[in-house]
Amino acid sequence: VKSTTKAQDGLYVYDVVQRLYDSQFGGEGVDDIEKYVKLGKLGEAFSADEQVILLIDEIDKADLEFPNDLLWELDKIPDYMKERFMVVFDHNLDPLGAGWQQTRSLLALGGGKLTGQGLFHGIQTQGEYSGSLPFRYTDFIFSAIGEELGMLGCLAVLLLLAAIIVRCLMVARKARNTTESYVCVGVAAVLIFQTISNVGMCLFVLPVIGLTLPFFSYGGSSIVTLFAAMGMVSSVQSHSLPDWLR
């Protein structure tokens, strides 16, 4: 089997060889193919128009370690996105650059301790310099809450969000049909994902991806979308069947 074109995109080349490899070996050894791409040998083989089946044999015989992500190695991800992931695993990598926002977030959360510094009295949150706690009204609102209301305030926020999520799931159980039930479960899933992502960003355990904290972060589109979603859940609730008919 020979390549019909000299592919310029490494991802396309990878996809072709992976399909051939799956047909020959049942999906085993894909990690080796990724490593082969990382070493640059796969692209060379296609450029030289060599037989793919021989390349597969070489890959199968190679004793290679588990590689990094293919997209990462082929530079398909912008550098600033890579840095957002790397600083999560090494907080000292770029504390004044890519890790600045989350470093300040940890300082704000730590400064709040158990009960906080008082509403509207947070040192980082109320600082005149916007860089003291960047995006304090949107992405890092949870850090602002932690500094001013402390750990107790953070727990209260999480309990409120958990109550909304549980309520959505309860409405899903009493929905008239499967479609309405799926709508409620979908809204609950969105709230769970956004909450985990936002809190993870503030705690410096997840990369910054710009997701808001539901119902707390400032922002027009976010608030409108969330209230529209809750409106759908309320509609399902108002038309749900009574228990004696279920």
Side-chain angles (χ1 to χ4, degrees):
V1 180
K2 290 188 176 182
S3 60
T4 58
T5 179
K6 294 181 179 180
Q8 300 297 319
D9 192 337
L11 289 175
Y12 171 79
V13 175
Y14 167 76
D15 182 66
V16 171
V17 177
Q18 178 175 321
R19 291 175 182 273
L20 289 170
Y21 198 97
D22 289 345
S23 65
Q24 293 288 325
F25 303 101
E28 298 178 358
V30 175
D31 295 340
D32 294 343
I33 293 178
E34 294 181 17
K35 187 68 174 182
Y36 216 77
V37 173
K38 179 180 177 181
L39 296 176
K41 297 180 180 179
L42 184 58
E44 295 174 3
F46 268 80
S47 298
D49 200 27
E50 296 178 4
Q51 291 185 345
V52 176
I53 193 65
L54 295 179
L55 175 61
I56 292 175
D57 289 338
E58 292 180 20
I59 295 174
D60 186 49
K61 295 175 183 177
D63 183 17
L64 299 171
E65 298 177 357
F66 188 82
N68 292 326
D69 185 79
L70 179 63
L71 292 174
W72 189 286
E73 293 302 328
L74 292 176
D75 291 329
K76 297 296 181 180
I77 301 178
D79 290 338
Y80 77 92
M81 288 187 179
K82 290 182 179 181
E83 291 173 355
R84 289 186 180 185
F85 281 92
M86 290 189 293
V87 294
V88 172
F89 297 99
D90 184 1
H91 294 182
N92 296 320
L93 182 63
D94 189 12
L96 299 180
W100 173 258
Q101 297 177 7
Q102 290 171 292
T103 300
R104 305 305 297 183
S105 173
L106 285 182
L107 287 175
L109 284 169
K113 299 182 180 180
L114 182 63
T115 57
Q117 298 176 3
L119 190 62
F120 307 124
H121 290 88
I123 297 175
Q124 306 292 335
T125 305
Q126 302 300 326
E128 296 182 0
Y129 174 51
S130 60
S132 59
L133 181 58
F135 305 104
R136 64 192 70 174
Y137 302 111
T138 52
D139 294 3
F140 294 96
I141 187 68
F142 189 77
S143 302
I145 294 171
E147 183 179 44
E148 297 192 349
L149 302 180
M151 187 180 71
L152 295 179
C154 291
L155 291 176
V157 168
L158 294 178
L159 286 175
L160 288 172
L161 290 172
I164 296 174
I165 293 168
V166 170
R167 185 59 181 167
C168 290
L169 296 177
M170 291 175 62
V171 173
R173 288 190 65 231
K174 296 183 179 181
R176 292 179 301 178
N177 52 58
T178 305
T179 301
E180 293 182 351
S181 179
Y182 285 163
V183 168
C184 296
V185 172
V187 172
V190 169
L191 294 176
I192 292 172
F193 179 75
Q194 280 197 227
T195 300
I196 293 176
S197 298
N198 186 272
V199 174
M201 285 162 40
C202 294
L203 295 177
F204 214 161
V205 295
L206 290 176
V208 176
I209 56 177
L211 282 180
T212 58
L213 185 65
F215 305 111
F216 286 92
S217 293
Y218 171 83
S221 59
S222 174
I223 292 295
V224 170
T225 302
L226 287 171
F227 274 103
M230 296 309 299
M232 292 189 291
V233 175
S234 297
S235 177
V236 173
Q237 165 66 19
S238 64
H239 296 90
S240 61
L241 295 175
D243 293 335
W244 63 275
L245 286 178
R246 295 182 58 81

